Amino acid sequence: MTDTRSRLNIGSHDLPVSGGLSRFMAGNWAASPLSASARVPAHAVTPARRARLSARFPGERLVVRAGELKVRTNDCDHRFRPHSAYAWLTGLTGEDQVGHVLVLEPSGPHGHEAVLYLRPRSARADGTEEFYRDRRYGEFWVGRRPDLAEAELLTGIRCAHLDTLGSPPARDAATDTELAAALSELRLVKDAWEVEQLQLAVDHTTAGFEDVVRALPRALAHPRGERWIEGVFGLRARAEGNGTGYETIAASGAHACVLHWIRNDGRLDPGDLLLLDAGVETDTLYTADITRTLPLSGRFSPVQRQVYELVLAAQDAGMAALRPGASFRDFHRAGMRVIAEGLTEWGVLKDPQGDLHRRYTLCSSGHMLGLDVHDCAKARAETYLDGVLEEGQVLTVEPGLYLQPDDETLPVELRGIGVRIEDDLVVTADGARLMSGALPRTVDGIEEWMGALLDSAEG
């Protein structure tokens, strides 16, 4: 391998470049600066975020990395998404952030100066071949990068070349658990801009669910209808935002009893339910997380209605428990009491006390939501799972019943039914606001909504 090939990301099958071609490529390019008014959407709120982090670690050098590419197959990488903490602090969310590093350098007795170390746009007139030969970073391969001045305009942060990043002692969020925890905890309460972004994600997700219902006739006719559903939602996610915030779960029939069913390779049966768990991620990387369990025929059967309405009652109880000062776990406990009592009434359990209901519920009933679908996961237990709710937090409430097809503790008619209902809420001064209320939740509401969408699709 030549030195050029080792320095640049050049494939082994690439043709060599002659001196004449190299000289020809170096000249006669028109200027193409970024817009002078360019700013990242979050530029007005990121300084306060960095100041809050600075206050947690006075006098210490802090390193927050965007992350690196990961190989998918041979010379093809997975689509890059910068680390959520990096995006939160810089406002930079694009695929061009590979390898970039934010450093908070101690400045004065208590503060920090933010410096963004990045790989700027490569020059074209100095013999550099990167812009047209480097498959990973070259402008003609993956798109334009800003130069240092443009990056400073975009972010409001002083920028320096990545090659000048030194390695003095520092706290690195990639390895320092205390810094990682602090970054999660600082994101627990969303600012007004973040709530707006999350509402936008919810609104796009609502449109995606409507797309899916309109597409049901074609999905039902396809031998892998679950994938048809996944594809329909994915189109909306890519058209309106960055993509899906997580792998879409399109689980029909007994597949709905698998919590994270993402194979999505099953046929749809009109007599079954479809559990669709999906969320659009905005271009600013905030994601919705919504689940609806829908009758593929458009109408719930009596037993499907029975299971659905128990889960809905549990979700109603969980939502009613949301308010500032309430324990984070209160909404889960409220929902599970309803589930346990319902299972006892059905004769599945002998007693609602204890935890035997967990055979049929399997997991907790919600989580924080934001830049990550399971947001703020590195926060300490005392500030999150064992903490109390605060105004401005955004979370999901998502109880479910997963009645396995081979579970002999269940009546035959209940086996193979999986139901989850999941909504996104923001905690307010006196309770919580349902952000995903545009999607119906009740049996009658879902049947009416599906009927209208299917009628419009046929028309």
Side-chain angles (χ1 to χ4, degrees), residues 188 190 198 202 205 246 260 277-279 287-292 314-322 327-333 335-336 363-375 384-385 389 392-400 402 420-427 432-436 441:
L188 278 167
K190 272 52 182 179
L198 284 162
V202 167
T205 300
Y246 52 95
H260 288 170
D277 186 335
T287 186
D289 182 8
I290 299 174
T291 306
R292 288 293 182 269
Q315 191 193 36
D316 286 340
M319 289 181 179
L322 298 177
S327 167
F328 173 81
R329 297 184 189 270
D330 282 352
F331 74 90
H332 170 69
R333 296 188 184 106
M336 292 304 97
C363 65
S364 188
S365 301
H367 51 81
M368 293 296 178
L369 185 66
L371 284 165
D372 295 330
V373 64
H374 299 137
D375 207 32
Y384 181 179
L385 297 177
L389 297 178
Q393 291 180 335
V394 178
L395 70 162
T396 70
V397 177
E398 52 173 313
Y402 311 99
R420 179 163 66 250
I421 312 169
E422 179 178 19
D423 284 276
D424 304 339
L425 300 99
V426 56
V427 179
R433 175 172 63 84
L434 181 60
M435 303 175 74
S436 47
R441 300 166 50 240

Side-chain angles (χ1 to χ4, degrees), residues 214-381:
R214 293 189 190 98
L216 281 179
R218 295 190 70 180
L220 283 159
H222 196 277
R224 291 203 289 186
E226 290 177 344
R227 293 224 173 146
W228 195 277
I229 295 301
E230 177 187 350
V232 167
F233 187 86
L235 173 60
R236 174 66 67 171
R238 283 294 282 168
E240 304 292 357
N242 188 53
T244 55
Y246 52 95
E247 293 291 332
T248 297
I249 298 168
S252 63
H255 290 166
C257 298
V258 180
L259 292 175
H260 288 170
W261 176 263
I262 59 171
R263 298 180 200 174
N264 300 341
D265 59 358
R267 180 183 288 276
L268 305 182
D269 186 321
D272 284 339
L273 297 172
L274 170 72
L275 189 157
L276 178 62
D277 186 335
V280 173
E281 180 180 84
T282 63
D283 290 331
T284 56
L285 305 188
Y286 289 84
T287 186
D289 182 8
I290 299 174
T291 306
R292 288 293 182 269
T293 306
L294 309 173
L296 286 166
S297 67
R299 308 285 295 183
F300 288 88
S301 71
V303 70
Q304 290 169 350
R305 175 186 285 262
Q306 173 189 346
V307 176
Y308 186 94
E309 289 190 333
L310 178 55
V311 176
L312 180 64
Q315 191 193 36
D316 286 340
M319 289 181 179
L322 298 177
R323 65 182 61 84
S327 167
F328 173 81
R329 297 184 189 270
D330 282 352
F331 74 90
H332 170 69
R333 296 188 184 106
M336 292 304 97
R337 281 194 294 271
V338 173
I339 291 286
E341 290 166 0
L343 291 172
T344 303
E345 290 176 8
W346 293 355
V348 172
L349 294 178
K350 295 180 179 179
D351 185 338
Q353 302 303 314
D355 63 354
L356 298 188
H357 64 276
R358 292 179 60 183
R359 179 181 177 113
Y360 313 102
T361 61
L362 299 178
C363 65
S364 188
S365 301
H367 51 81
M368 293 296 178
L369 185 66
L371 284 165
D372 295 330
V373 64
H374 299 137
D375 207 32
C376 310
K378 294 187 181 299
R380 293 167 298 170

Side-chain angles (χ1 to χ4, degrees), residues 102-148:
L102 175 69
V103 178
L104 297 189
E105 300 281 4
S107 175
H110 302 294
H112 289 80
E113 181 193 17
V115 184
L116 185 60
Y117 291 88
L118 51 81
R119 183 182 295 102
R121 184 185 191 189
S122 54
R124 299 186 187 179
D126 61 358
T128 300
E129 298 178 354
E130 180 193 81
F131 72 98
Y132 68 96
R133 296 200 72 193
D134 193 310
R135 292 169 177 261
R136 271 190 158 177
Y137 306 115
E139 182 176 338
F140 287 4
W141 286 89
V142 298
R144 189 195 191 292
R145 300 193 305 269
D147 62 26
L148 293 178

